[in-house]
Amino acid sequence: MNEEAPKSGFRAWLDRRTGLDSLLHHALDEPIPGGAKIAYVFGSGLLFLFLSQIITGVFLAMYYVPAADHAHTTVSYITKEVTGGSFLRSIHAYGSSAIIIVLLLHLIQTFFYGSYKGRRELVWLAGCVLLTLMLGMAFTGYLLPWDQKAYFATTVGTNILSEIPWIGNPLKRLLRGGTEMGTLTLSRFFVLHVFLIPACIFAFIATHVYAFRKAGAAGPLSEDPVTPKLKAEGFYPKQLVMDMGFAMLIIVALGVCAYLWPTELGPKADPSDTQFLPRPEWYYIPVFQYLKYWHGSTSVIGILIIPAIVGLLLVGLPFYDRSLERRPWKRPVSVGLFTATLIALGALGIASHREDMRNPGVAAQLEKQQAETAEFMTAKFEPELSGSFVAQNATSLNPDVTKGKALFEGQSCNACHGDNGIGTAAAPKLTGVGEKYDSSKLESLLRKPTEKMTAGGMPAVGLKNDEMKALVAYLQSLK
Amino acid sequence: MPHVEYIPEVGRNKNGRRSFLAGLLAAGGATVGALLTIPLVRFTLHPILARTTEKSWSDVGSVDEFQNLDAPVKKLVTIEQRDGWRKIALQKPVYVSKDAQGQVIVLSAVCTHLGCTVPWVEKEKKFICPCHLGNFSADGKLLGGPPPRDMDRLETKVEGGVLKTQYQFFRQLVRDKEELA
């Protein structure tokens, strides 16, 4: 493509070894029939947003722990204590919304421009898979903070699965890691969100971009989708500048939102709460509302058959819509259906909001939940109390154990065996010793240590019988 | 790729303008990229740059309890250590005793030699370390054995009739008391 590659110096050497220059030229000189257009920025905008999600996600993982008893604390720590933590988390959360918005714009642009036509089935198919994967990312990511809305929204979200005949329940159990929501659900969602789905996204982005470059950019409405006739312009510089401008716009928008309205974290998930009204993230609201209309025996139509038909119509579009006509006003059926679906989704969203506001009980509960979230956000970060001391306090109800503990410390047993018998470099731990030896064996070992014990520095313990009994009781309580 | 007649708008004859724009874009991109890494760097460095755990006061017991001491009394104080998002509660033994002037003092039970816990031996009226027999008087003065200095005194205060102490760790094996973070 370019015969004028520099012939000497580091860059030439690097190019000879890697072919970087021709790769760069291949990327930058991509021909765009009819020239650069603002309408074409959405694809690269999505790539940019995905990159931003990866970077912020990796950094968030530096503090996050995916277990039911720590997840909420660690997210709270990120939000309330870590420098820039709230900002970074907000960029990540708003980033997910931005991806959905830009995905929709990308889909709408592709659809109305008829850019899926003319040997572009694979580009379209990979795009549909990416849309599904991104919705999967949004669904799995929502649970990770393990606050009230995360927990209950995901409970409802996974319950929908059980409406599917035959495989519904096993599928739900597989996703949850059991019948109920719990720490295993969180682990599974974490693995899906951080490893499996992103890996698939990488693969399908590669497919999408490769198939796109193979077929070539579709160009404007007037362009022939199979054999382009319009004068082409390189991707560089005009389209690149537009794409970079769009990326900048995204960064600024995310930054402003994250700064002015940081993403909130609600109180920790309380599975025993029976009042909580879960509401999904805005982009799932239309689906949430739609599902309300289906009950009982007909629900399989609404939950399975209709979505399957809509999905098939969307995925199969380039297979049954074979005409090369691109102008939307000449394709009234497909354009009409597509527009109607979009309007229906929007209307469902509005209907959901109006229903919530009209029902005073629901409105009051939602307001109360918002107030609880606001209250939690203003509270200081509360570190999680951990350590053997917690467990020890729970078992010290037996007076003998309490007395034995005092003896253990009074006799400086803890100097070598550690506080609460957790062991040190000087002597082994004593936790679980009660399962190994019964009380009489323990007593005889204390009164007359074995040679090995003596060699390690263990002195004989000369206590009165009642004190010895207490010490043994304490040792047996060490778990 | 379908065959297209490709006529670059800014072609090779305009190489100067093309590379100037490339430089501008690269510089702009690098600047924005660098700006974006600032929050990431601050986020990463948080545990290193944030203030270390502030010293906290632990309750030792009611002041009345220590009015008429004739020998050091062992007390367990609960200290809390911050470890990122968690807090570890530890119980540490201290001795409440009196100095030569009759003032109540709190001594760390950690031997200044190698860190064993030193018990008060009533029979000998001394603190005797079980590890290497370092021994100290009732007010913590070094009497003999390998330890390099007296037992470590802890800061104390009385608040609402409760004796409080600031538990701390000190470096072992050195002549002068030296705080550890």
Side-chain angles (χ1 to χ4, degrees), chain A residues 380-423:
Chain A
K380 217 171 140 268
F381 171 69
E382 202 50 61
E384 197 176 283
L385 188 64
S386 53
S388 51
F389 170 65
V390 184
Q392 206 49 47
N393 263 2
T395 56
S396 58
L397 295 167
N398 175 351
D400 256 0
V401 171
T402 315
K403 190 176 162 194
K405 182 175 163 68
L407 282 163
F408 186 78
E409 278 145 9
Q411 297 288 320
S412 294
C413 306
N414 59 339
C416 296
H417 289 289
D419 291 327
N420 302 320
I422 55 169

Side-chain angles (χ1 to χ4, degrees), chain A residues 63 83 233 384 386 409, chain B residues 9 43 46 74 76 82 87:
Chain A
Y63 296 102
T83 323
E233 187 184 81
E384 197 176 283
S386 53
E409 278 145 9
Chain B
E9 208 138 82
F43 183 81
H46 172 81
K74 181 168 169 166
L76 289 175
R82 266 300 287 278
K87 184 167 71 179

Side-chain angles (χ1 to χ4, degrees), chain A residues 31-189:
Chain A
I32 301 171
K37 272 198 169 62
I38 296 282
Y40 306 153
V41 297
F42 302 122
S44 70
L46 280 170
L47 195 61
F48 173 78
L49 272 167
F50 182 56
L51 212 67
S52 159
Q53 293 300 90
I54 295 174
I55 295 170
T56 48
V58 165
F59 277 82
L60 288 171
M62 198 152 29
Y63 296 102
Y64 179 73
V65 177
D69 46 356
H70 303 314
H72 185 262
T73 313
T74 55
V75 177
S76 170
Y77 180 66
I78 291 171
T79 312
K80 295 179 179 179
E81 289 239 317
V82 180
T83 323
S86 170
F87 184 72
L88 220 60
R89 176 171 172 249
S90 305
I91 294 271
H92 195 72
Y94 281 117
S96 75
S97 285
I99 285 192
I100 304 291
I101 294 170
V102 182
L103 252 173
L104 268 179
L105 294 173
H106 191 48
L107 179 68
I108 291 169
Q109 189 268 330
T110 309
F111 185 84
F112 282 99
Y113 270 65
S115 311
Y116 56 88
K117 288 166 179 269
R119 306 173 183 172
R120 288 181 176 82
E121 300 90 344
L122 283 184
V123 190
W124 179 263
L125 280 182
C128 288
V129 175
L130 283 169
L131 171 70
T132 316
L133 289 171
M134 282 301 180
L135 288 172
M137 284 300 270
F139 182 65
T140 49
Y142 201 64
L143 177 68
L144 303 187
W146 202 253
D147 58 359
Q148 287 277 73
K149 65 172 188 170
Y151 180 87
F152 285 104
T154 308
T155 307
V156 175
T158 45
N159 268 335
I160 295 167
L161 281 178
S162 54
E163 298 272 2
I164 303 172
W166 306 104
I167 55 161
N169 267 316
L171 205 63
K172 180 177 100 177
R173 287 220 304 277
L174 181 71
L175 193 63
R176 283 186 177 179
T179 42
E180 297 303 320
M181 294 271 298
T183 194
L184 296 182
T185 319
L186 188 54
S187 297
R188 277 157 193 258
F189 274 54

Side-chain angles (χ1 to χ4, degrees), chain A residues 117-309:
Chain A
K117 288 166 179 269
R119 306 173 183 172
R120 288 181 176 82
E121 300 90 344
L122 283 184
V123 190
W124 179 263
L125 280 182
C128 288
V129 175
L130 283 169
L131 171 70
T132 316
L133 289 171
M134 282 301 180
L135 288 172
M137 284 300 270
F139 182 65
T140 49
Y142 201 64
L143 177 68
L144 303 187
W146 202 253
D147 58 359
Q148 287 277 73
K149 65 172 188 170
Y151 180 87
F152 285 104
T154 308
T155 307
V156 175
T158 45
N159 268 335
I160 295 167
L161 281 178
S162 54
E163 298 272 2
I164 303 172
W166 306 104
I167 55 161
N169 267 316
L171 205 63
K172 180 177 100 177
R173 287 220 304 277
L174 181 71
L175 193 63
R176 283 186 177 179
T179 42
E180 297 303 320
M181 294 271 298
T183 194
L184 296 182
T185 319
L186 188 54
S187 297
R188 277 157 193 258
F189 274 54
F190 179 74
V191 168
L192 283 169
H193 189 76
V194 172
F195 299 107
L196 293 180
I197 305 180
C200 296
I201 290 178
F202 278 119
F204 280 95
I205 287 179
T207 314
H208 193 59
V209 172
Y210 180 81
F212 165 72
R213 289 302 301 270
K214 184 94 171 76
L221 285 179
S222 54
E223 180 62 293
D224 184 303
V226 181
T227 44
K229 295 174 179 70
L230 293 175
K231 189 176 130 184
E233 187 184 81
F235 173 76
Y236 177 86
K238 266 197 183 164
Q239 191 64 55
L240 179 67
V241 171
M242 285 178 189
D243 286 11
M244 282 175 87
F246 186 56
M248 278 299 293
L249 192 75
I250 292 174
I251 302 174
V252 172
L254 288 181
V256 167
C257 289
Y259 186 77
L260 293 180
W261 308 285
T263 305
E264 290 182 314
L265 176 72
K268 186 177 176 178
D270 173 12
S272 65
D273 191 330
T274 52
Q275 305 292 312
F276 198 86
L277 280 180
R279 287 292 175 270
E281 201 56 78
W282 66 268
Y283 37 80
Y284 275 121
I285 292 275
V287 178
F288 164 78
Q289 178 69 14
Y290 167 81
L291 292 173
K292 281 193 201 166
Y293 300 123
W294 302 92
H295 320 273
S297 56
T298 59
S299 65
V300 87
I301 300 172
I303 288 168
L304 199 66
I305 297 173
I306 294 178
I309 291 172

Side-chain angles (χ1 to χ4, degrees), chain B residues 36-173:
Chain B
L36 292 178
T37 56
I38 293 174
L40 298 178
V41 171
R42 281 162 46 95
F43 183 81
T44 309
L45 293 181
H46 172 81
I48 293 104
L49 298 183
R51 283 176 306 135
T52 45
T53 321
E54 59 224 47
K55 294 174 200 164
S56 58
W57 292 93
S58 318
D59 293 356
V60 183
S62 151
V63 176
D64 305 337
E65 224 184 296
F66 310 118
Q67 283 309 315
N68 307 305
L69 283 177
D70 44 10
V73 184
K74 181 168 169 166
K75 284 281 162 189
L76 289 175
V77 293
T78 303
I79 58 165
E80 284 172 355
Q81 272 181 320
R82 266 300 287 278
D83 173 25
W85 45 267
R86 57 187 206 139
K87 184 167 71 179
I88 312 166
L90 298 168
Q91 283 196 315
K92 290 287 168 193
V94 296
Y95 278 94
V96 183
S97 187
K98 280 189 171 162
D99 66 5
Q101 286 77 43
Q103 287 292 317
V104 171
I105 55 169
V106 176
L107 298 168
S108 163
V110 178
C111 183
T112 53
H113 177 220
L114 288 172
C116 295
T117 305
V118 184
W120 171 254
V121 181
E122 187 57 40
K123 218 165 26 180
E124 311 225 0
K125 299 276 180 216
K126 273 191 219 175
F127 285 104
I128 302 173
C129 182
C131 294
H132 305 92
L133 303 177
N135 49 91
F136 308 88
S137 64
D139 59 350
K141 290 267 178 303
L142 178 65
L143 297 173
R149 62 169 190 267
D150 299 343
M151 287 170 79
D152 296 311
R153 273 200 204 184
L154 299 168
E155 296 273 330
T156 56
K157 69 172 179 186
V158 175
E159 229 176 55
V162 174
L163 178 67
K164 291 175 181 257
T165 188
Q166 211 171 53
Y167 194 87
Q168 274 185 295
F169 295 92
F170 300 93
R171 193 176 295 284
Q172 284 133 23
L173 286 175

